Protein backbone atom coordinates (compact mmCIF):
# COMPACT_ATOMS: atom_id res chain seq x y z
CA UNK A 1 0.00 0.00 0.00
CA UNK A 2 2.77 2.45 0.90
CA UNK A 3 4.61 1.87 -2.39
CA UNK A 4 1.39 2.52 -4.33
CA UNK A 5 0.88 5.84 -2.54
CA UNK A 6 4.50 6.91 -3.00
CA UNK A 7 4.31 6.15 -6.74
CA UNK A 8 1.19 8.31 -7.03
CA UNK A 9 2.85 11.16 -5.11
CA UNK A 10 6.01 11.06 -7.21
CA UNK A 11 3.99 11.06 -10.46
CA UNK A 12 1.78 13.97 -9.39
CA UNK A 13 4.16 16.51 -7.88
CA UNK A 14 2.84 19.19 -10.24
CA UNK A 15 -0.68 18.84 -8.78
CA UNK A 16 -2.45 19.29 -5.49
CA UNK A 17 -2.16 16.01 -3.58
CA UNK A 18 -4.87 15.45 -1.00
CA UNK A 19 -5.30 12.83 1.69
CA UNK A 20 -8.80 12.22 0.35
CA UNK A 21 -7.43 11.32 -3.09
CA UNK A 22 -4.83 8.99 -1.59
CA UNK A 23 -7.59 7.41 0.45
CA UNK A 24 -9.59 6.74 -2.74
CA UNK A 25 -6.59 5.06 -4.35
CA UNK A 26 -5.87 2.74 -1.45
CA UNK A 27 -9.33 2.12 -0.03
CA UNK A 28 -8.12 3.04 3.47
CA UNK A 29 -9.82 5.70 5.57
CA UNK A 30 -7.95 9.05 5.66
CA UNK A 31 -7.28 8.63 9.39
CA UNK A 32 -5.85 5.10 9.08
CA UNK A 33 -3.90 5.98 5.94
CA UNK A 34 -2.24 8.99 7.51
CA UNK A 35 -1.21 7.01 10.61
CA UNK A 36 0.13 4.13 8.51
CA UNK A 37 2.14 6.37 6.15
CA UNK A 38 3.57 8.51 8.94
CA UNK A 39 4.78 5.36 10.70
CA UNK A 40 6.29 3.90 7.50
CA UNK A 41 7.92 7.17 6.40
CA UNK A 42 9.13 8.36 9.78
CA UNK A 43 7.60 11.77 9.16
CA UNK A 44 4.23 13.32 8.45
CA UNK A 45 2.72 12.80 5.01
CA UNK A 46 2.70 16.55 4.37
CA UNK A 47 6.40 16.84 5.18
CA UNK A 48 7.23 13.91 2.91
CA UNK A 49 5.35 15.46 -0.04
CA UNK A 50 7.02 18.84 0.54
CA UNK A 51 10.48 17.27 0.64
CA UNK A 52 9.83 15.26 -2.52
CA UNK A 53 8.82 18.47 -4.31
CA UNK A 54 12.00 20.23 -3.20
CA UNK A 55 14.35 17.31 -3.89
CA UNK A 56 12.92 17.15 -7.41
CA UNK A 57 13.40 20.90 -7.81
CA UNK A 58 17.06 20.44 -6.82
CA UNK A 59 17.37 17.76 -9.52
CA UNK A 60 16.01 20.16 -12.14
CA UNK A 61 18.24 22.99 -10.94
CA UNK A 62 21.41 20.90 -11.03
CA UNK A 63 20.93 18.82 -14.16
CA UNK A 64 18.63 20.69 -16.55
CA UNK A 65 18.42 24.07 -18.24
CA UNK A 66 14.80 24.64 -17.23
CA UNK A 67 14.07 28.19 -16.05
CA UNK A 68 13.23 28.73 -12.41
CA UNK A 69 9.73 29.97 -13.26
CA UNK A 70 8.95 26.64 -14.92
CA UNK A 71 10.55 24.46 -12.25
CA UNK A 72 8.35 25.80 -9.47
CA UNK A 73 5.18 24.79 -11.34
CA UNK A 74 6.55 21.35 -12.18
CA UNK A 75 6.95 20.61 -8.47
CA UNK A 76 3.66 22.11 -7.33
CA UNK A 77 4.41 25.69 -6.26
CA UNK A 78 2.36 28.64 -7.50
CA UNK A 79 4.77 31.52 -6.88
CA UNK A 80 8.47 32.25 -6.59
CA UNK A 81 8.38 33.52 -3.00
CA UNK A 82 6.79 30.41 -1.45
CA UNK A 83 9.03 28.16 -3.54
CA UNK A 84 12.15 30.13 -2.59
CA UNK A 85 11.33 30.11 1.13
CA UNK A 86 10.61 26.38 1.19
CA UNK A 87 13.74 25.54 -0.80
CA UNK A 88 16.00 27.65 1.43
CA UNK A 89 14.51 26.14 4.57
CA UNK A 90 15.48 22.64 3.40
CA UNK A 91 18.71 23.36 1.49
CA UNK A 92 19.95 26.48 3.36
CA UNK A 93 20.48 28.32 0.04
CA UNK A 94 18.25 29.90 -2.59
CA UNK A 95 17.32 27.91 -5.71
CA UNK A 96 19.59 30.08 -7.87
CA UNK A 97 22.53 29.69 -5.48
CA UNK A 98 22.05 25.94 -5.63
CA UNK A 99 21.99 25.97 -9.45
CA UNK A 100 25.15 28.08 -9.78
CA UNK A 101 27.37 26.35 -7.23
CA UNK A 102 28.77 22.85 -7.79
CA UNK A 103 30.21 23.04 -4.28
CA UNK A 104 26.77 23.54 -2.76
CA UNK A 105 25.37 20.74 -4.89
CA UNK A 106 28.04 18.43 -3.47
CA UNK A 107 27.18 19.50 0.07
CA UNK A 108 23.49 18.73 -0.59
CA UNK A 109 23.62 15.79 -3.02
CA UNK A 110 20.63 14.97 -5.19
CA UNK A 111 18.08 12.50 -3.89
CA UNK A 112 16.13 11.95 -7.09
CA UNK A 113 17.11 11.32 -10.69
CA UNK A 114 13.75 10.94 -12.37
CA UNK A 115 10.60 12.96 -12.84
CA UNK A 116 7.29 11.90 -14.35
CA UNK A 117 4.01 13.76 -14.47
CA UNK A 118 1.22 11.38 -15.38
CA UNK A 119 -1.31 14.22 -15.46
CA UNK A 120 -2.01 13.94 -19.17
CA UNK A 121 -3.00 17.15 -20.95
CA UNK A 122 -5.23 16.79 -24.01
CA UNK A 123 -4.16 19.16 -26.77
CA UNK A 124 -4.45 19.86 -30.46
CA UNK A 125 -1.23 21.38 -31.69
CA UNK A 126 -0.78 23.62 -34.69
CA UNK A 127 0.93 21.53 -37.42
CA UNK A 128 4.47 22.68 -38.19
CA UNK A 129 6.96 22.05 -40.98
CA UNK A 130 10.09 20.41 -39.61
CA UNK A 131 13.45 19.56 -41.13
CA UNK A 132 13.94 15.85 -40.45
CA UNK A 133 16.99 13.62 -40.13
CA UNK A 134 16.07 9.95 -40.53
CA UNK A 135 17.61 7.27 -38.34
CA UNK A 136 17.01 3.82 -36.86
CA UNK A 137 17.94 2.56 -33.44
CA UNK A 138 16.98 1.56 -29.93
CA UNK A 139 14.72 4.18 -28.33
CA UNK A 140 15.96 3.07 -24.91
CA UNK A 141 19.68 3.46 -25.66
CA UNK A 142 21.79 6.61 -25.65
CA UNK A 143 23.29 5.45 -28.97
CA UNK A 144 20.14 6.67 -30.75
CA UNK A 145 21.21 10.25 -30.02
CA UNK A 146 24.11 9.93 -32.47
CA UNK A 147 21.82 11.42 -35.17
CA UNK A 148 21.90 14.74 -33.33
CA UNK A 149 25.54 15.16 -34.44
CA UNK A 150 24.19 15.45 -37.98
CA UNK A 151 21.59 17.96 -36.78
CA UNK A 152 24.26 20.07 -35.07
CA UNK A 153 26.43 20.06 -38.21
CA UNK A 154 23.47 21.18 -40.34
CA UNK A 155 22.58 24.03 -37.98
CA UNK A 156 26.17 25.25 -37.99
CA UNK A 157 26.37 25.00 -41.80
CA UNK A 158 23.41 27.39 -42.22
CA UNK A 159 24.87 29.86 -39.70
CA UNK A 160 22.21 29.31 -37.05
CA UNK A 161 22.35 28.18 -33.42
CA UNK A 162 20.40 25.45 -31.59
CA UNK A 163 18.43 28.19 -29.82
CA UNK A 164 16.95 29.20 -33.20
CA UNK A 165 14.95 25.93 -33.31
CA UNK A 166 12.58 23.71 -31.40
CA UNK A 167 13.83 20.14 -31.16
CA UNK A 168 11.77 16.96 -31.54
CA UNK A 169 12.18 13.23 -31.87
CA UNK A 170 9.61 11.48 -34.08
CA UNK A 171 8.96 7.98 -32.73
CA UNK A 172 7.43 5.82 -35.45
CA UNK A 173 6.97 2.63 -33.43
CA UNK A 174 6.12 1.48 -29.91
CA UNK A 175 8.73 -1.05 -28.75
CA UNK A 176 6.38 -2.21 -25.99
CA UNK A 177 3.95 -3.42 -28.70
CA UNK A 178 6.30 -4.46 -31.51
CA UNK A 179 9.15 -5.78 -29.34
CA UNK A 180 11.50 -4.19 -31.89
CA UNK A 181 14.75 -2.78 -30.56
CA UNK A 182 15.69 -1.29 -33.93
CA UNK A 183 12.95 1.22 -34.72
CA UNK A 184 12.57 4.21 -37.02
CA UNK A 185 13.51 7.45 -35.29
CA UNK A 186 13.68 10.90 -36.84
CA UNK A 187 15.36 13.89 -35.30
CA UNK A 188 13.39 17.00 -36.26
CA UNK A 189 13.93 20.74 -35.89
CA UNK A 190 11.39 23.53 -36.34
CA UNK A 191 12.74 27.05 -36.99
CA UNK A 192 11.55 29.84 -34.71
CA UNK A 193 10.23 32.74 -36.76
CA UNK A 194 11.96 32.01 -40.08
CA UNK A 195 11.70 29.53 -42.93
CA UNK A 196 14.24 27.05 -44.14
CA UNK A 197 14.72 26.42 -47.88
CA UNK A 198 12.12 23.98 -49.20
CA UNK A 199 13.36 20.39 -49.24
CA UNK A 200 10.44 18.03 -49.97
CA UNK A 201 12.35 14.85 -49.14
CA UNK A 202 13.86 16.26 -45.95
CA UNK A 203 10.83 17.81 -44.30
CA UNK A 204 7.60 16.69 -42.66
CA UNK A 205 4.45 18.09 -41.10
CA UNK A 206 4.49 17.24 -37.42
CA UNK A 207 1.96 17.28 -34.57
CA UNK A 208 -1.15 16.95 -36.72
CA UNK A 209 -4.27 15.90 -34.84
CA UNK A 210 -5.05 15.41 -31.17
CA UNK A 211 -2.57 14.30 -28.53
CA UNK A 212 -2.26 13.69 -24.84
CA UNK A 213 0.92 15.20 -23.42
CA UNK A 214 2.90 13.81 -20.50
CA UNK A 215 6.11 15.29 -19.08
CA UNK A 216 9.18 13.44 -17.87
CA UNK A 217 12.87 13.90 -17.21
CA UNK A 218 15.30 11.06 -16.54
CA UNK A 219 18.44 9.29 -17.58
CA UNK A 220 18.13 7.52 -20.93
CA UNK A 221 18.61 4.16 -19.18
CA UNK A 222 15.28 4.80 -17.42
CA UNK A 223 13.27 5.56 -20.59
CA UNK A 224 11.92 2.03 -20.85
CA UNK A 225 10.56 2.08 -17.29
CA UNK A 226 9.19 5.60 -17.72
CA UNK A 227 7.43 4.76 -20.98
CA UNK A 228 5.91 1.63 -19.42
CA UNK A 229 4.51 3.73 -16.55
CA UNK A 230 3.06 6.33 -18.89
CA UNK A 231 1.52 3.71 -21.18
CA UNK A 232 -0.02 1.97 -18.17
CA UNK A 233 -1.61 5.24 -17.06
CA UNK A 234 -2.88 5.95 -20.59
CA UNK A 235 -4.53 2.52 -20.86
CA UNK A 236 -6.45 3.20 -17.65
CA UNK A 237 -7.87 6.53 -18.86
CA UNK A 238 -11.52 5.89 -19.71
CA UNK A 239 -11.98 9.21 -21.54
CA UNK A 240 -8.90 8.85 -23.77
CA UNK A 241 -8.60 6.46 -26.70
CA UNK A 242 -5.16 5.94 -28.18
CA UNK A 243 -5.04 6.11 -31.98
CA UNK A 244 -2.55 4.77 -34.47
CA UNK A 245 0.18 7.23 -35.38
CA UNK A 246 3.62 8.48 -34.46
CA UNK A 247 4.40 10.03 -31.10
CA UNK A 248 6.79 12.89 -30.40
CA UNK A 249 9.36 13.92 -27.84
CA UNK A 250 9.74 17.69 -27.60
CA UNK A 251 13.03 18.47 -25.86
CA UNK A 252 13.67 21.51 -23.70
CA UNK A 253 17.00 21.95 -25.51
CA UNK A 254 18.88 20.27 -28.33
CA UNK A 255 20.13 16.84 -27.22
CA UNK A 256 23.86 16.45 -26.70
CA UNK A 257 24.85 13.10 -28.26
CA UNK A 258 27.67 12.75 -25.73
CA UNK A 259 25.42 13.36 -22.71
CA UNK A 260 21.70 12.98 -23.51
CA UNK A 261 20.61 12.28 -19.93
CA UNK A 262 18.16 14.47 -18.01
CA UNK A 263 16.52 16.26 -20.91
CA UNK A 264 13.10 17.61 -19.98
CA UNK A 265 10.64 16.05 -22.43
CA UNK A 266 7.05 16.73 -23.43
CA UNK A 267 5.84 13.38 -24.77
CA UNK A 268 2.94 13.69 -27.24
CA UNK A 269 0.94 10.48 -27.74
CA UNK A 270 -1.76 10.39 -30.46
CA UNK A 271 -5.37 10.05 -29.31
CA UNK A 272 -8.73 9.90 -31.08
Amino acid sequence: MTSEVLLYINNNLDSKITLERLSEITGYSPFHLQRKLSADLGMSLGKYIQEQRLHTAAYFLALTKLPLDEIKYLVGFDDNSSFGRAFKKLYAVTPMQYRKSKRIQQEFPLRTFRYISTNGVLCKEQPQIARVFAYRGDYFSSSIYAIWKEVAAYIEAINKTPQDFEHYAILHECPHLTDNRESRYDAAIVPKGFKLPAAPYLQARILEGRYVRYNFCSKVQDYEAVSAEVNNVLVQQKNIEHRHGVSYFKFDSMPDPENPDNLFINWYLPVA
Side-chain angles (χ1 to χ4, degrees), residues 35-241:
R35 289 190 62 185
K36 166 82 171 138
L37 289 174
S38 296
D40 289 350
L41 297 171
M43 65 179 73
S44 70
L45 178 60
K47 183 178 181 182
Y48 174 82
I49 293 172
Q50 180 85 327
E51 290 194 358
Q52 287 303 107
R53 295 188 195 279
L54 297 171
H55 291 325
T56 303
Y59 162 60
F60 283 139
L61 290 165
L63 298 179
T64 78
K65 298 177 182 178
L66 290 170
L68 196 62
D69 279 347
E70 187 170 349
I71 290 173
K72 70 173 186 290
Y73 289 122
L74 293 173
V75 296
F77 286 87
D78 292 328
D79 61 82
N80 288 333
S81 59
S82 61
F83 172 54
R85 284 195 305 270
F87 191 91
K88 190 170 184 178
K89 184 177 180 180
L90 184 62
Y91 280 90
V93 294
T94 67
M96 197 53 67
Q97 287 170 332
Y98 187 89
R99 165 164 273 178
K100 290 181 177 180
S101 174
K102 296 298 181 185
R103 178 185 61 80
I104 292 173
Q105 292 171 22
Q106 291 171 355
E107 290 178 8
F108 299 93
L110 299 177
R111 299 195 186 182
T112 183
F113 289 90
R114 192 173 83 176
Y115 172 89
I116 310 175
S117 171
T118 54
N119 295 303
V121 177
L122 289 170
C123 53
K124 187 173 184 179
E125 298 295 312
Q126 189 69 30
Q128 302 182 75
I129 300 298
R131 173 67 160 82
V132 296
F133 302 78
Y135 200 61
R136 290 191 68 84
D138 183 348
Y139 293 170
F140 305 135
S141 168
S142 58
S143 63
I144 201 154
Y145 284 92
I147 186 60
W148 288 94
K149 294 179 181 178
E150 186 177 331
V151 178
Y154 172 79
I155 290 175
E156 183 178 4
I158 61 173
N159 297 315
K160 295 292 184 181
T161 69
Q163 292 72 33
D164 294 319
F165 298 87
E166 293 179 341
H167 309 275
Y168 296 85
I170 305 176
L171 311 176
H172 291 263
E173 301 176 47
C174 178
H176 291 294
L177 295 178
T178 65
D179 203 30
N180 292 334
R181 282 298 186 173
E182 289 291 316
S183 305
R184 182 178 168 189
Y185 173 104
D186 297 340
I189 53 175
V190 175
K192 297 178 180 177
F194 64 96
K195 291 184 178 181
L196 294 173
Y201 298 105
L202 302 174
Q203 66 186 36
R205 286 170 62 90
I206 67 172
L207 289 175
E208 291 191 87
R210 295 179 74 245
Y211 297 85
V212 58
R213 186 186 72 233
Y214 297 96
N215 299 330
F216 76 92
C217 185
S218 75
K219 296 179 179 179
V220 176
Q221 68 185 33
D222 292 329
Y223 279 11
E224 187 166 9
V226 169
S227 64
E229 280 190 46
V230 171
N231 276 294
N232 184 53
V233 169
L234 180 58
V235 167
Q236 296 178 41
Q237 299 300 309
K238 296 179 180 178
N239 63 327
I240 299 177
E241 181 184 352

